Amino acid sequence: MKDTNSEDPENSAISRRRLVKFAGVGATLAAASPLVGGGTAWANDDDRKPAKPGNSRNRVWRAGDHHVHSEYSGEFDTSTNPPTFHKGADAVYPIVTNAIMAKNFGLTWAMCTDHGGPTHSKVNIEQAYPDLLRSRVLVPEVLQFWGMELDAPALDHHTLMIPHHDGEAQQLFELESRFAKFDAFPNDPGRDTEAKMVEFLKAAKDMRQKPMVIAHHPSRSASGLGVYGQDTPREFRNGNNAAPDVYVGFEGAPGHQAGTLTGGARGSYGSYPTHGGFDQMTARVGGLWDSLLGEGRRWWITATSDSHVHWTRGGSDFWPGEYSKTYVLARQDYADIMDGLRNGRVWVGTGDLISSLDVTASNHGNDAAMGETLTVSRRNRTDVEIEIKFRPLEGKNANGDRPEVQRVDLIVGQVTGPSANLDADTNPTTKVVARFGPRDWRKQGKDYVIRYTLRNVEGDLYARVRGTSTDEAEPLADGKESPWDDLWFYSNPVFVQVR
């Protein structure tokens, strides 16, 4: 089954009648709406000329979402053999509807991540994948990755992102049929072990076309602060050790952010809440994320919709891109977007508080950005200049608001190497070293710029940035507030090594 998207220029000339057939009138009308919150930070980039792998040419911040459900997140009747699949039991929208709404809310890439189940690998390759191919033709403006929400052995759900290539459907089928813990029928308890998860990651690492794995809602099953559930620090470390270029991070801001609009909890975090819409593993300064970064791990955060059913239809979700966005510095190219995710050229935001963010560390004419490493010499002056550049939203967000940044925080932690304690979830060296308000940044074109100097850097460190529309010094545990009144953005780190 070959994906001919972008190979046949006539495929882009899709009539409204065909859009109505595949997506429905409402979604089709939405496709004609203007973009909300913008997908790219700049509109004048030109992707027509190919660039070499690793080349930064034509890279801009491109918003996307790697955790979106379609009607193929359904249910199985296991009274039959093989089980009978019924669409639309858990999530209800066709794949193309999600793509149209992603386009409408400013995304340029997205990923279909449906739940597994008994023999779901066959459903994916025989039913869902052909619909994805049609969606790619109908909505070519959005690069649509293939993959799933893996029912990961011994853990909570994970994105399994497959590289875009002619054999992508077969590659997912191989991994899902071999390793998804619920795919076997009858059920095989031997699949639900951490050893199986490590086996899966090693198999993925050895593939010629390397997939990528990102943990979903990592603390949703936690019962308290630092009291973890299905996902534990030990499992993250063991998985990252097994496949560091495959198992690369977790959702900093989980989906289901509209939960409070229908009387529920943000993120569907019913036992222990999110903080400012972010998972405790990310939101707590000096917490688990900082513990992993302090070991020098390249472990990144993302933000997703986890869209199943829109909150106006009784669900707890926003459309892809309506509230949360993951920005990747990349060309409009499948491989480069995946490369950006894998290598941490990523920042995340909610409510379109800002539309662009750059964090740069520099020393003696050398510099490094998010996901990169700046090397400084002990023999020279070891001051490191940090530049933070952000762009506020032009216009209104999807709620009709004009959000404003009230504060930006610079967070720095030491990198001290691997921890002997696989369960460690703190980094006591991590601190907010500076807080900046509107009087501390200066206008530069459409951007605001902040500069700060880290004096006499003597050891390895990382620096990351967050900002907010609130006056909370630290993001508070979430209650029933509207998510639109509690907006944050987070960068991934830039590393500094002293040699």
Side-chain angles (χ1 to χ4, degrees):
M1 201 177 305
K2 190 171 183 180
D3 174 13
T4 57
N5 179 42
S6 79
E7 295 178 5
D8 179 2
E10 292 184 1
N11 282 337
S12 298
I14 303 299
S15 69
R16 279 186 172 270
R17 184 174 300 171
R18 288 186 66 190
L19 278 172
V20 170
K21 176 182 177 183
F22 286 110
V25 175
T28 303
L29 292 176
S33 302
L35 296 184
V36 178
T40 58
W42 302 278
N44 60 351
D45 58 304
D46 182 354
D47 295 308
R48 291 172 295 182
K49 298 177 182 178
K52 295 179 181 179
N55 191 323
S56 62
R57 192 166 160 305
N58 292 335
R59 282 179 177 163
V60 299
W61 290 114
R62 301 184 188 276
D65 186 340
H66 66 81
H67 186 180
V68 181
H69 290 265
S70 79
E71 61 190 341
Y72 290 103
S73 288
E75 65 182 3
F76 289 86
D77 178 359
T78 56
S79 67
T80 64
N81 191 1
T84 303
F85 177 70
H86 300 289
K87 292 196 295 186
D90 189 40
V92 299
Y93 303 114
I95 292 172
V96 71
T97 300
N98 287 329
I100 288 169
M101 299 311 289
K103 172 190 170 185
N104 180 62
F105 287 108
L107 303 190
T108 69
W109 62 271
M111 182 178 169
C112 185
T113 53
D114 285 313
H115 292 297
T119 70
H120 186 263
S121 54
K122 288 190 66 177
V123 173
N124 257 340
I125 198 168
E126 294 174 359
Q127 299 182 47
Y129 187 66
D131 275 7
L132 176 77
L133 297 184
R134 282 189 285 268
S135 183
R136 284 174 172 169
V137 172
L138 290 164
V139 193
E141 300 89 347
V142 178
L143 299 183
Q144 299 171 55
F145 285 90
W146 182 231
M148 70 174 297
E149 181 169 57
L150 181 71
D151 33 306
L155 290 101
D156 206 337
H157 300 146
H158 283 58
T159 279
L160 171 54
M161 177 180 273
I162 303 297
H164 179 60
H165 62 104
D166 286 347
E168 61 188 353
Q170 187 60 43
Q171 185 178 7
L172 178 61
F173 178 81
E174 178 185 345
L175 290 170
E176 183 178 7
S177 61
R178 287 178 61 193
F179 296 108
K181 66 185 172 189
F182 297 135
D183 197 70
F185 184 77
N187 183 52
D188 177 8
R191 286 183 176 231
D192 195 14
T193 67
E194 187 185 352
K196 197 70 174 178
M197 181 67 178
V198 171
E199 182 187 348
F200 154 69
L201 290 169
K202 288 181 176 179
K205 178 185 69 174
D206 292 339
M207 289 180 155
R208 187 174 67 86
Q209 299 278 359
K210 234 181 268 294
M212 192 162 54
V213 177
I214 298 171
H216 291 173
H217 37 70
S219 298
R220 193 169 72 180
S221 55
S223 58
L225 186 63
V227 185
Y228 305 113
Q230 287 179 273
D231 293 353
T232 65
R234 175 180 294 265
E235 289 167 317
F236 290 141
R237 286 185 169 91
N238 287 338
N240 183 246
N241 288 343
D245 53 352
V246 170
Y247 198 24
V248 297
F250 48 47
E251 289 176 340
H256 303 312
Q257 290 280 341
T260 58
L261 300 179
T262 54
R266 285 177 80 173
S268 296
Y269 277 43
S271 296
Y272 184 81
T274 52
H275 287 237
F278 280 72
D279 187 288
Q280 61 163 294
M281 292 181 178
T282 294
R284 182 165 59 135
V285 172
L288 177 58
W289 187 30
D290 289 312
S291 180
L292 297 173
L293 297 178
E295 294 184 276
R297 295 180 188 273
R298 272 45 180 175
W299 189 263
W300 320 119
I301 63 165
T302 60
T304 69
S305 66
D306 198 356
S307 176
H308 287 64
V309 180
H310 197 262
W311 72 271
T312 57
R313 301 294 180 90
S316 58
D317 307 325
F318 291 110
W319 289 109
E322 184 180 4
Y323 183 74
S324 299
K325 288 181 170 72
T326 295
Y327 284 86
V328 181
L329 188 65
R331 297 180 292 277
Q332 188 64 356
D333 169 84
Y334 282 98
D336 205 46
I337 287 171
M338 201 161 176
D339 182 78
L341 287 166
R342 201 187 302 274
N343 291 292
R345 301 194 304 271
V346 175
W347 66 272
V348 302
T350 57
D352 290 308
L353 178 57
I354 60 173
S355 62
S356 179
L357 175 65
D358 293 282
V359 181
T360 306
S362 60
N363 170 271
H364 287 284
N366 299 316
D367 58 58
M370 277 179 248
E372 298 177 342
T373 302
L374 173 70
T375 300
V376 302
S377 172
R378 283 192 175 92
R379 294 189 299 272
N380 299 320
R381 180 170 174 265
T382 51
D383 288 354
V384 173
E385 305 293 334
I386 302 293
E387 182 182 86
I388 304 163
K389 182 188 296 184
F390 68 91
R391 183 174 299 182
L393 178 68
E394 295 182 22
K396 298 180 180 180
N397 63 17
N399 198 49
D401 302 326
R402 295 180 183 272
E404 294 184 1
V405 179
Q406 297 300 319
R407 195 187 72 254
V408 175
D409 296 334
L410 175 61
I411 301 167
V412 175
Q414 295 177 16
V415 176
T416 55
S419 172
N421 179 11
L422 293 177
D423 298 312
D425 70 343
T426 60
N427 183 347
T429 73
T430 306
K431 301 286 189 294
V432 177
V433 299
R435 300 185 189 272
F436 308 99
R439 293 183 178 180
D440 301 312
W441 50 71
R442 64 180 180 80
K443 193 81 180 291
Q444 183 176 297
K446 295 181 178 180
D447 299 317
Y448 288 102
V449 178
I450 301 166
R451 291 191 173 91
Y452 185 83
T453 303
L454 300 176
R455 301 286 183 190
N456 300 316
V457 174
E458 297 179 348
D460 296 353
L461 58 81
Y462 64 89
R464 61 183 182 87
V465 167
R466 71 180 179 194
T468 182
S469 66
T470 75
D471 59 3
E472 299 172 7
E474 294 298 323
L476 301 177
D478 293 326
K480 297 299 183 181
E481 73 279 356
S482 168
W484 296 104
D485 296 331
D486 188 17
L487 306 182
W488 294 77
F489 63 82
Y490 283 66
S491 79
N492 273 289
V494 54
F495 290 88
V496 176
Q497 64 178 10
V498 180
R499 294 292 181 266

